[in-house]
Amino acid sequence: MEFQRARSDEQKDIRIKQISEAALELLKTQKYEDITLAGIAKNLSFTRANLYKYISSKEEIFLYIILDEIEKWKKNLDDSFHDVINPDKEWFAQKWSETVFENRLMIQTMSLLYTIFEKNVTLEKLVDFKIRLFSLTMGVVKLLTEIFPRFTMETAFHFLKMQLFYSTGLYPTTVENEMQKKAIELAGVEFVAPDFTNEMKEFTMILFLKFDV
C-alpha cells in the first residue's frame, strides 16, 4: 500500500480503519504482547513515522478496535431482539449469550482495557474514547429497557455492566493455550475449560433473579 497523507477527517478515519485491520490481522497469529507498531507498519507498507501521524501507541489502536467491536455487537443485538418485548427469560439468556460469543473479539480485547490499554494512551484520546464508549453503552442500555419494560435505565445499566465484567473475566478461561493445558496436566489438577455460552446463560439467569425481571 502506497502511503499518502490523509487530508480530511474522512480520509483519516479510513487510515485508522486500515491500521486497526492490520493490528487485528497480526492478532490472529500473535499474542497481543508480541504485536509491535513496527509490525503493524510493515503490514501496511508504512514507515513507523507515517504510523505516528495517526496514532501514538499500540494501545490507542486497540481502543479504536474496541469501539468498532461494540458497535458490531450492538447491531447484532438489534437484529436478534428487534421488536422483542418481555421474552421468555431462558430464550433471551441463550440468545444473549450467543451474541456475546459471536462477538468474542470484543470481550477478548476488553479484558485488557483497564489494565493495559487505558494506561498507555494520551489523556485526550482516553477522554474521546470514554465519550464514545458511553454513547455506545447507553444504546445497549436503551435496547434492554425496550426488551424488558420493567428495567429502568439505572437497572439496565447495572445489568449490562455486570454482564461485561463477567464475560471479560470468563472468556480467557475458555481458551487455554498448549502451555496452559500442559501445566494443568503436569500439576495433576482437574480442570475442564468452561463452555462460554452455557456459563453466560447461567449467569444471565442469575441476574434476572437479582433484578427481579
Side-chain angles (χ1 to χ4, degrees):
M1 179 186 302
E2 184 180 349
F3 180 82
Q4 291 182 337
R5 181 71 182 269
R7 301 297 179 186
S8 67
D9 288 343
E10 183 179 358
Q11 290 174 331
K12 183 178 179 182
D13 288 343
I14 291 172
R15 279 285 179 266
I16 291 174
K17 183 73 173 175
Q18 291 169 337
I19 292 167
S20 298
E21 288 173 352
L24 286 177
E25 193 62 31
L26 291 176
L27 193 61
K28 292 178 182 178
T29 57
Q30 298 181 26
K31 294 182 290 185
Y32 167 79
E33 53 268 30
D34 293 334
I35 295 173
T36 64
L37 289 180
I40 294 170
K42 184 179 179 181
N43 249 21
L44 292 165
S45 299
F46 288 0
T47 65
R48 283 188 67 177
N50 287 334
L51 206 61
Y52 277 121
K53 290 179 171 67
Y54 302 98
I55 52 94
S56 57
S57 68
K58 177 176 71 172
E59 291 77 14
E60 188 178 310
I61 299 171
F62 279 86
L63 291 187
Y64 288 115
I65 288 171
I66 286 173
L67 292 173
D68 284 344
E69 293 305 313
I70 294 176
E71 197 162 2
K72 291 176 187 176
W73 180 52
K74 173 60 167 57
K75 185 180 184 307
N76 197 337
L77 291 174
D78 287 336
D79 293 341
S80 298
F81 300 110
H82 179 67
D83 286 339
V84 173
I85 300 176
N86 285 325
D88 174 80
K89 294 181 182 62
E90 187 169 353
W91 174 85
F92 175 87
Q94 178 68 33
K95 194 69 175 174
W96 173 272
S97 302
E98 288 171 358
T99 63
V100 176
F101 187 69
E102 286 168 12
N103 293 270
R104 53 192 173 275
L105 180 57
M106 174 185 72
I107 50 177
Q108 178 188 353
T109 49
M110 284 189 72
S111 67
L112 301 175
L113 177 60
Y114 297 106
T115 55
I116 297 177
F117 300 157
E118 289 197 354
K119 294 182 177 180
N120 291 281
V121 294
T122 64
L123 178 60
E124 179 186 7
K125 293 296 181 181
L126 187 55
V127 170
D128 180 61
F129 170 77
K130 292 287 190 182
I131 291 170
R132 294 174 63 189
L133 178 64
F134 182 76
S135 177
L136 288 169
T137 299
M138 294 312 293
V140 179
V141 168
K142 184 175 182 296
L143 177 63
L144 285 169
T145 63
E146 293 168 355
I147 297 170
F148 295 105
R150 288 187 62 181
F151 265 146
T152 64
M153 291 291 284
E154 183 180 358
T155 55
F157 181 79
H158 196 186
F159 175 90
L160 177 60
K161 181 177 67 174
M162 294 182 72
Q163 285 277 348
L164 291 176
F165 286 167
Y166 183 75
S167 62
T168 53
L170 171 65
Y171 181 73
T173 71
T174 68
V175 284
E176 302 166 293
N177 63 25
E178 290 306 312
M179 185 176 71
Q180 289 171 311
K181 291 177 183 177
K182 188 64 176 178
I184 290 170
E185 177 188 341
L186 293 175
V189 176
E190 286 287 335
F191 177 78
V192 178
D195 179 277
F196 181 87
T197 303
N198 287 341
E199 294 287 334
M200 278 298 298
K201 178 182 177 181
E202 183 177 343
F203 182 68
T204 303
M205 295 298 289
I206 292 171
L207 289 186
F208 282 143
L209 293 175
K210 173 180 173 59
F211 292 109
D212 191 28
V213 176

